[in-house]
Structure formats: structure tokens, C-alpha cells
């Protein structure tokens, strides 16, 4: 395929996108780039006034995002990526830089400032080539930016609020998404549309072409700097030419040929790009094709082969409460951790080192300490602790997954093999002992707490005066709903054995309007009255027949205008892209009769029970949200 060679240069490389933006992931996936996503932890707090121009701020932020990920991943040679890509999109109007709005009022301020005017959207991009020398990370940074001008129509206050209540502005620079509803606000776009969406693909490809296909010296003068090399240019490149700027270490070579590497030679010196070298990287002079024929490291496959070891290392460190000890007492030497936990020193040291290499811990001459994310997610009292779910994964899901082969052969759950118990009802399995029940509730609580805000704000729910969270367990989502919609009456409906055990999970400061907990079985008992019924991670537990029973019960008590809100991992319609959700569907296979479903499948189920106007919001968090209204 003619366009392939530019991105094809990256095929054998470990490419990392240092961005949580689903749009950037989609733009790059759509053109066939294979990459890992490692969202950056760099906080976008650079002092804006210290930059002479808005694009400089975007470029520097992109660079810092990418460098943070490159540094984090480079702990052991095996973890060092080849290329890290970072990006930052901003809107500039009246010499002000607008980023993502922090709340609805902020979105209103931004959008009213853009109304009736032209503004610029800048995306800064950094491409960092990494290599490892000894223990040292060496980076070569290429950065550039792209500007697109966008003009908004005059927008009424009413229209702006309607748009803001759609929830779309919140994670978008300038408070709008041109690719969706926000497109309706736009009168014209001058420049690269994808740049507005978050990633200037065309300029990125040009930059790769510059880096990987520098023209032979005699043709330099004839190449226009603003065009991607034509199809012929790619196809006619000989191996010798095409590899001349490969960012790989060449055995025996120890000098830089900067004329080959530096895109800032006159012909490539685009006004809006630069290349900076830090550390020491040697370009490959591939005269004889030797490295072309060398075995390429299939890093993705190797990572998958190692995946179970990494999971187990995380599970064991969590189970032994190492992150808890390090939070309160760190930094600690391996011997001190071993003494605290009661484990062997040699085993503890290896486990801690593995956790460092996996980016969970930091190691200095003073010992081991938690990373920020270990404090937040891995300690049992972290703000968004996943400890409960990790223990559930270790104690419950791991034994089930070891029977995945049987589950695939037989097409059914494996509880009998994993736990020696004949599979009954899914929840009878969980609630047969107090210990298993509490572990399961802690697991569900940790996911519900982590996703609650995104689920509660995916749509504006203020029209619903009362809500019933069916299977709402510990009430984590219910409490979040009350925070966001203080006038909403929220009821959690769950099995009696769950309701009897919720007290441990309630927030310490009591909400003014507390959540009501009602016990019952939603398949058998009457449902509490409500304007909105929530089913969060409920439908995926059940086969279609059971879902029809539940939806017809809800439909029977729902008046026209009332709704259902589903929170689930929504698969893409082709079921080939969202690996987290597809792996979760295997998780449902080994332990339930349910499965994860696509947006169309959920829509089909809901419409059969008189629910229409089905809207699906992919939140970027673990759970996506579907809202529909009874006609
Ligand atoms: O029209 C659109 N304009 C902008 C966007 C999206 O807005 C964000 C911009 O934010 P940022 O560059 O800071 O990136 P993040 O999402 O925070 O992800 P990082 O992890 O890379 O910091 C970006 O997601 C654009 O896609 C849009 O969707 N439409």
C-alpha cells in the first residue's frame, strides 16, 4: 500500500503514545500505527506567561508529557520504548490560551469568548526517540506544531448551555469537540481538521518522512518541505537510502552524522518544527542491509507473554500490603520491607525490583518508595484505591482464568474447576461465605468509586428527580450522583446480603440528602419507583433471556419520559478494537453466563422494551454510559 512506508518505518519499533486522549488513539489507530498507550502524568501547569507565543506553550507541554513517559518507562532496558509521542492541543483567542474547561461555568466562559469569532487551534507534538546506554536514558527530541483557524457562528446563551449540558465540552481544548456536536457551532475551518481534533496527522507523517527518508544529497534542492514524499518517492527508495536515518544503534559506530539526522538542515527547516538531541544516539549506516535482516524484537508479543508475570507481581505486592507499608514508612530497604511483611529478603528484593521496572515503585539509594500512582491506586486507603479489585483478581479471577482453555472449549463458566463448587447462581457463588462476599463487594466498590464521576456526568441527568441504582452495591455511584445533583432522590436496590454489609463502605462525612438502601432481588421483587433506573455493570452478568426479564420489569414501571442509564464497557461494533472490554468479556465467560456487548447490541435490547433515543457516551474511563428514554 502506497502510504504505508512512512508509518511502516515504525512497525518494528516499540511506539508509545503518551496520551489519554481517545481521539489521538483513534486517529493513529485508523492509519494502522501499532502503539501502546501510556498516558502521561505530567501536569499541564507550565506558566503560560513565560512563553512568547501560545504554540510554544503547546510544544513544551507536549514535550514534557512525552519525556515524563519516556523517563518512567526507562527503568530497565527491556522497558525502554523506541519512540514516545506526546501531544498537546490548545485554543488561542484574544491572546489567551484555553485548555480543557474545569467545570460547566468554565466551559461557558470559553465558548462565549469564542462565539462569533475566529480563533486558532494549536497542537504541539513531540516525537522522542529513546535509547538506553548503560542505565542512562538517551533521548532525541523532534517537535513541531500545527495551527488551524476555526470560526464560530454567533451562539446564543441558550444554545451554549444546551451544548454544555450534552457533556461534550468537558475533556476538550477550548470546550468543544469539532468532530461531534461542536461541529454545529463552526462556520469555517482553515487548515488541518484533525489538528483541531487533537493530532495533526499530515504534519506528523511529513515529520516521519523527514526523519526516516532524508533525500539523497543531490535531490535536496528539489524537495518541497511542505509535502509528504509522494508515493513514487517511497516506492523507489532503495534500502540504502531508506535506512540512512534509522534511529538505531549501529554496532561499532560511535560518531554522530548530524547532517543525516538533524531535520533542521535548510531544506527541512520548517518554521514550526525543531529537533533537539540529548544524550547520544548513533544513526545506522545500513550499507549492506545487515540490520534489515536482523531479527526484529516482537515487543508486543513478548509483553503479552510476560503479562501474567507482571499481573501476579502486582497482585502479590498488593496482597502483602507492600504499597501500604511503603506509603507510611518508605523509603525502605528490601530487608526492612521483608521484616515488616514477614517474607524472605531475597524474594522481597526481586519482587520490589520487578515493581520498580513495572513503574509501580521508585528506587533510590535510600530504598524503595511508592510512585504517586501507587499511593493513589494501590494502597488500601488510596483516594481511588483499586486494592479491593486487585485482591479479587488474585483470589477469584486468577483461578478462573487458569481454566480459560476449558471455558473456551466448553463455552461455559469454570467455577466448579477453579473452586471445586458446582456453579449455581453467580451471586450465590459470591455470597456463600462472608469473606468472599466482602472481597467481592470491595472489588465492586473500587471500580464503582473510580468510575462514578464519569458515569454520573456523562449525560446531564438533572431532569430526573429520583433515581434507583439496581444492583448498586455499596452506593459509590449513588453518593456521587447526590454530590452532582443535590436535589436528586437516590435509592440503591440490592440483595439483602449486600445491604446488610454496606456500612464499612459509606463515606465518613454524611451527605445532606443521604442515599436510601432497599433490599430485594430485581428479578423477583417489586422495584422501587424512580424516574431513572441505573444498571451499572449489571447486564454484562446475564444472558439475553435474563436481560429481557429485567428490562420488561423496568419497562412496566417506567412512565414515558423516564429512563434507563447503563454503565458498561461498550465494545466496538466490529468487536476488534477495545482489548480491555474484549478481555473483560472472557472474564464473563469464565465466571458467568453473561458477556460484554457492543453499542448496537445494547441498543437492540433496550429498543425491544420501548426505550428509544439511545445515546452512547464513551467516557475514556473503564465504564461507558448509555442513556435511553421510555417512549
Ligand atoms: O475539537 C476538538 N478539540 C479538542 C479535542 C480534545 O481536546 C483534548 C485536548 O487536551 P490535551 O491536549 O491536554 O489532551 P488530553 O485529552 O488531556 O490527553 P493527554 O493525556 O494527551 O494530555 C484532546 O483530547 C483532544 O482530542 C477534541 O476532541 N475535539
Amino acid at each position: 500500500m502506497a502510504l504505508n512506508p512512512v508509518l511502516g518505518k515504525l512497525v518494528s519499533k516499540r511506539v508509545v503514545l503518551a496520551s489519554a486522549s481517545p481521539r489521538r488513539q483513534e486517529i493513529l489507530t485508523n492509519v494502522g500505527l501499532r502503539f501502546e498507550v501510556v498516558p502521561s502524568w505530567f501536569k499541564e501547569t507550565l506558566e503560560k506567561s513565560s512563553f512568547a507565543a501560545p504554540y510554544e506553550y503547546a510544544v513544551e507541554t507536549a514535550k514534557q508529557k512525552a519525556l515524563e513517559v519516556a523517563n518512567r518507562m526507562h527503568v530497565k532496558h527491556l522497558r525502554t520504548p523506541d519512540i514516545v509521542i506526546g501531544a498537546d492541543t490548545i485554543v488561542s483567542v484574544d491572546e489567551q490560551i484555553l485548555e480543557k474547561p474545569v467545570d460547566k461555568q468554565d466551559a461557558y466562559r470559553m465558548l462565549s469568548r469564542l462565539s462569533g469569532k475566529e480563533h486558532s487551534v494549536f497542537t504541539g507534538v513531540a516525537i522522542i526517540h529513546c535509547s538506553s546506554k548503560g542505565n542512562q536514558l538517551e533521548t532525541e527530541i523532534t517537535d513541531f506544531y500545527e495551527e488551524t483557524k476555526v470560526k464560530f457562528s454567533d451562539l446564543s446563551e441558550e444554545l451554549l448551555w444546551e451544548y454544555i449540558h450534552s457533556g461534550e465540552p468537558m475533556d476538550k481544548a477550548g470546550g468543544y469537540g469539532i468532530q461531534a456536536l461542536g461541529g454545529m457551532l463552526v462556520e469555517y475551518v482553515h487548515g488541518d481538521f484533525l489538528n483541531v481534533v487533537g493530532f495533526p496527522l499530515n504534519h506528523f507523517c511529513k515529520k516521519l518522512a523527514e526523519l526516516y527518508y532524508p533525500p539523497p544529497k543531490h535531490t535536496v534542492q528539489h524537495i518541497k518541505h511542505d509535502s509528504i514524499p509522494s508515493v513514487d518517492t517511497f516506492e523507489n527508495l532503495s534500502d540504502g537510502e531508506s535506512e540512512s536515518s534509522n534511529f538505531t544503534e549501529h554496532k561499532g559506530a560511535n560518531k554522530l552524522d548530524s547532517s543525516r539526522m538533524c531535520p533542521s538542515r535548510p531544506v527541512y527547516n520548517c518554521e514550526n518544527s525543531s529537533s533537539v538531541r540529548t544524550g547520544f544516539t548513533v544513526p545506522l549506516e545500513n550499507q549492506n542491509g545487515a540490520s534489515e535482516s536482523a531479527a526484529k524484537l516482537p515487543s508486543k508479543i513478548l509483553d503479552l507473554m510476560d503479562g501474567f508475570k507482571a499481573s501476579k507481581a502486582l497482585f502479590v505486592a498488593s496482597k502483602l500490603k507492600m504499597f501500604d507499608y511503603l506509603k507510611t514508612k518508605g523509603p525502605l530497604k528490601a530487608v526492612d520491607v521483608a521484616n515488616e511483611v514477614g517474607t524472605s529478603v531475597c524474594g522481597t528484593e526481586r519482587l520490589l525490583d520487578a515493581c520498580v521496572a513495572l513503574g509501580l515503585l521508585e528506587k533510590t539509594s535510600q530504598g524503595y518508595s511508592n510512585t504517586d500512582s501507587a499511593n493513589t491506586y494501590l494502597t488500601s486507603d488510596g483516594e481511588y484505591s483499586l486494592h479491593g479489585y486487585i485482591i479479587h483478581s488474585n483470589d477469584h479471577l486468577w483461578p478462573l482464568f487458569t481454566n480459560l482453555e476449558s471455558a473456551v472449549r466448553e463455552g461455559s463458566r469454570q467455577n466448579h474447576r477453579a473452586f471445586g463448587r458446582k456453579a449455581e447462581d453467580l451471586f450465590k457463588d459470591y455470597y456463600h461465605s462472608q469473606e468472599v462476599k466482602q472481597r467481592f463487594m470491595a472489588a465492586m466498590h473500587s471500580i464503582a468509586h473510580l468510575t462514578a464521576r464519569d458515569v454520573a456526568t456523562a449525560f446531564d441527568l438533572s431532569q430526573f428527580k429520583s433515581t434507583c441504582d439496581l444492583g448498586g452495591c455499596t452506593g459509590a455511584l449513588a453518593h456521587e450522583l447526590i454530590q452532582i445533583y443535590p436535589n436528586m432522590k437516590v435509592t440503591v436496590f440490592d440483595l439483602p446480603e449486600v445491604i446488610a454489609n454496606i456500612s464499612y463502605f459509606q463515606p465518613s462525612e454524611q451527605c445532606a440528602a443521604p442515599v436510601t438502601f432497599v433490599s430485594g432481588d430485581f428479578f423477583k421483587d417489586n422495584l422501587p419507583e424512580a424516574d431513572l433506573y441505573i444498571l451499572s455493570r449489571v447486564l454484562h452478568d446475564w444472558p439475553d433471556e435474563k436481560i429481557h426479564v429485567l428490562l420488561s420489569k423496568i419497562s412496566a414501571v417506567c412512565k414515558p419520559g423516564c429512563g434507563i442509564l447503563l454503565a458498561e464497557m461498550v465494545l466496538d461494533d466490529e468487536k476488534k478494537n477495545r482489548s480491555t472490554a474484549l478481555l473483560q468479556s472472557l472474564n464473563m465467560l469464565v465466571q458467568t453466563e453473561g458477556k460484554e456487548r457492543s453499542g448496537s447490541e445494547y441498543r437492540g435490547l433496550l429498543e425491544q422494551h420501548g426505550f428509544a433515543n439511545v445515546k452512547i457516551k464513551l467516557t475514556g474511563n473503564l465504564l461507558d454510559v448509555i442513556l435511553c428514554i421510555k417512549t
Side-chain angles (χ1 to χ4, degrees):
M1 156 65 187
L3 287 169
N4 210 14
V6 185
L7 295 176
K9 281 284 155 192
L10 305 185
V11 163
S12 60
K13 300 190 189 304
R14 183 172 191 180
V15 180
V16 169
L17 176 64
S19 173
S21 166
R23 278 73 56 178
R24 293 193 181 115
Q25 293 166 27
E26 195 180 338
I27 290 169
L28 290 171
T29 303
N30 283 346
V31 292
L33 186 70
R34 303 291 301 270
F35 56 90
E36 294 162 49
V37 174
V38 180
S40 181
W41 298 343
F42 176 74
K43 300 217 165 51
E44 296 169 33
T45 51
L46 294 173
E47 181 49 54
K48 297 191 180 68
S49 61
S50 65
F51 293 89
Y55 65 81
E56 288 181 10
Y57 170 83
V59 168
E60 187 57 32
T61 305
K63 214 188 301 178
Q64 294 305 330
K65 285 183 186 180
L67 278 171
E68 186 280 320
V69 168
N71 281 315
R72 185 155 34 101
M73 293 187 77
H74 166 81
V75 180
K76 283 219 172 139
H77 183 70
L78 264 180
R79 297 279 304 159
T80 307
D82 297 314
I83 296 172
V84 179
I85 303 163
D88 188 62
T89 303
I90 56 163
V91 162
S92 165
V93 63
D94 304 333
E95 303 192 343
Q96 290 262 336
I97 291 177
L98 310 182
E99 297 182 278
K100 290 164 291 190
V102 291
D103 55 26
K104 288 186 172 178
Q105 280 301 336
D106 199 26
Y108 179 75
R109 271 192 295 276
M110 289 185 182
L111 290 166
S112 40
R113 184 171 273 173
L114 300 178
S115 172
K117 273 197 243 156
E118 186 184 88
H119 62 268
S120 287
V121 181
F122 292 101
T123 299
V125 176
I127 307 170
I128 303 197
H129 285 83
C130 306
S131 57
S132 194
K133 260 263 156 67
N135 244 353
Q136 198 73 29
L137 172 68
E138 294 170 349
T139 57
E140 177 142 351
I141 305 170
T142 300
D143 60 52
F144 65 89
Y145 72 90
E146 184 68 34
E147 176 177 9
T148 305
K149 296 210 187 272
V150 178
K151 180 168 183 237
F152 272 21
S153 304
D154 284 320
L155 307 170
S156 67
E157 187 175 340
E158 191 194 353
L159 187 143
L160 286 186
W161 277 114
E162 197 187 328
Y163 179 53
I164 291 164
H165 288 318
S166 75
E168 189 174 282
M170 297 318 294
D171 60 345
K172 317 265 174 2
Y176 70 96
I178 198 166
Q179 68 277 26
L181 293 177
M184 293 194 274
L185 316 179
V186 170
E187 222 164 79
Y188 65 69
V189 178
H190 289 163
D192 182 355
F193 180 84
L194 290 182
N195 182 50
V196 184
V197 182
F199 198 80
L201 184 63
N202 178 272
H203 198 156
F204 177 69
C205 291
K206 282 176 193 158
K207 198 48 65 185
L208 291 183
E210 287 175 16
L211 292 171
Y212 290 104
Y213 294 98
K217 286 195 169 87
H218 61 277
T219 63
V220 162
Q221 302 309 325
H222 305 296
I223 293 178
K224 276 169 65 190
H225 85 258
D226 63 345
S227 62
I228 300 179
S230 70
V231 169
D232 279 355
T233 313
F234 292 141
E235 289 177 344
N236 293 339
L237 283 166
S238 70
D239 275 358
E241 284 166 342
S242 65
E243 290 299 324
S244 64
S245 182
N246 198 326
F247 283 73
T248 323
E249 213 169 319
H250 177 45
K251 283 197 194 86
N254 61 1
K255 269 203 215 143
L256 285 173
D257 176 353
S258 57
S259 68
R260 281 173 179 269
M261 298 286 291
C262 180
S264 62
R265 283 171 300 158
V267 68
Y268 290 117
N269 195 2
C270 309
E271 221 174 73
N272 48 358
S273 69
S274 72
S275 179
V276 177
R277 201 179 291 268
T278 64
F280 181 84
T281 313
V282 182
L284 180 67
E285 296 289 333
N286 186 4
Q287 302 298 337
N288 54 14
S291 88
E292 196 66 282
S293 61
K296 286 172 181 157
L297 199 64
S299 46
K300 196 142 198 168
I301 294 173
L302 292 178
D303 279 353
L304 288 176
M305 286 165 61
D306 261 356
F308 78 98
K309 298 174 200 159
S311 301
K312 196 68 181 174
L314 167 64
F315 296 169
V316 171
S318 295
K319 189 140 192 184
L320 294 172
K321 299 214 164 194
M322 288 183 175
F323 301 107
D324 285 347
Y325 286 116
L326 290 172
K327 183 176 181 182
T328 48
K329 301 190 173 154
L332 290 178
K333 304 272 187 210
V335 61
D336 302 321
V337 178
N339 282 339
E340 289 280 358
V341 181
T343 46
S344 72
V345 177
C346 68
T348 303
E349 186 167 17
R350 284 192 209 183
L351 180 60
L352 292 170
D353 283 341
C355 289
V356 171
L358 292 170
L360 306 174
L361 295 178
E362 276 157 12
K363 184 180 180 180
T364 63
S365 53
Q366 276 141 27
Y368 300 89
S369 47
N370 282 348
T371 56
D372 289 347
S373 105
N375 281 334
T376 308
Y377 301 108
L378 301 182
T379 53
S380 45
D381 62 350
E383 189 184 355
Y384 290 103
S385 174
L386 287 168
H387 187 77
Y389 199 82
I390 291 170
I391 300 304
H392 170 68
S393 301
N394 185 64
D395 293 358
H396 198 83
L397 304 182
W398 184 274
L400 285 163
F401 255 84
T402 59
N403 292 289
L404 179 61
E405 183 184 334
S406 304
V408 170
R409 285 184 190 283
E410 295 159 13
S412 57
R413 55 205 300 241
Q414 296 297 313
N415 303 54
H416 54 299
R417 284 203 172 82
F419 305 114
R421 284 169 49 84
K422 178 134 180 42
E424 284 182 77
D425 175 82
L426 170 64
F427 291 97
K428 285 204 183 112
D429 282 354
Y430 276 130
Y431 300 151
H432 74 274
S433 85
Q434 185 67 8
E435 186 201 335
V436 176
K437 181 177 20 184
Q438 278 179 345
R439 194 176 67 207
F440 178 66
M441 286 178 69
M444 296 307 104
H445 182 80
S446 56
I447 299 295
H449 184 52
L450 182 72
T451 53
R453 179 148 285 244
D454 285 329
V455 170
T457 57
F459 297 101
D460 179 9
L461 304 177
S462 50
Q463 75 202 78
F464 303 107
K465 302 289 167 249
S466 57
T467 299
C468 179
D469 188 358
L470 297 170
C473 199
T474 62
L477 175 57
H479 284 292
E480 191 70 39
L481 283 165
I482 290 193
Q483 295 294 320
I484 294 164
Y485 308 101
N487 298 325
M488 191 182 264
K489 182 175 164 290
V490 185
T491 305
V492 170
F493 187 79
D494 213 319
L495 293 168
E497 46 275 56
V498 173
I499 302 295
N501 285 276
I502 55 163
S503 55
Y504 173 77
F505 299 97
Q506 299 314 297
S508 46
E509 70 274 25
Q510 284 307 307
C511 306
V515 170
T516 308
F517 287 88
V518 175
S519 39
D521 179 337
F522 50 56
F523 284 119
K524 296 186 189 142
D525 299 318
N526 289 337
L527 304 179
E529 268 186 29
D531 297 341
L532 179 71
Y533 288 92
I534 297 180
L535 293 163
S536 179
R537 303 181 89 214
V538 168
L539 296 193
H540 75 163
D541 290 332
W542 305 105
D544 286 5
E545 310 84 79
K546 295 279 263 185
I547 290 180
H548 285 306
V549 172
L550 180 55
L551 291 182
S552 68
K553 276 191 80 177
I554 299 174
S555 181
V557 293
C558 249
K559 300 183 192 77
C562 293
I564 293 183
L565 187 95
L566 304 183
E568 295 282 0
M569 285 185 185
V570 176
L571 299 175
D572 58 299
D573 281 344
E574 290 182 292
K575 298 190 182 158
K576 61 178 197 178
N577 284 321
R578 309 192 74 201
S579 62
T580 314
L582 291 162
L583 291 171
Q584 178 69 7
S585 207
L586 283 178
N587 194 46
M588 305 323 285
L589 173 70
V590 295
Q591 61 172 328
T592 71
E593 295 167 88
K595 59 182 182 181
E596 303 303 327
R597 294 174 173 83
S598 68
S600 314
E601 287 173 319
Y602 281 120
R603 178 177 279 117
L605 288 166
L606 292 162
E607 284 176 350
Q608 286 183 55
H609 294 276
F611 291 93
N613 195 12
V614 180
K615 290 187 200 139
I616 302 175
K617 188 67 138 281
L618 302 182
T619 66
N621 200 326
L622 280 179
L623 296 181
D624 304 307
V625 186
I626 301 177
L627 179 66
C628 58
I629 302 295
K630 179 82 187 297
T631 48

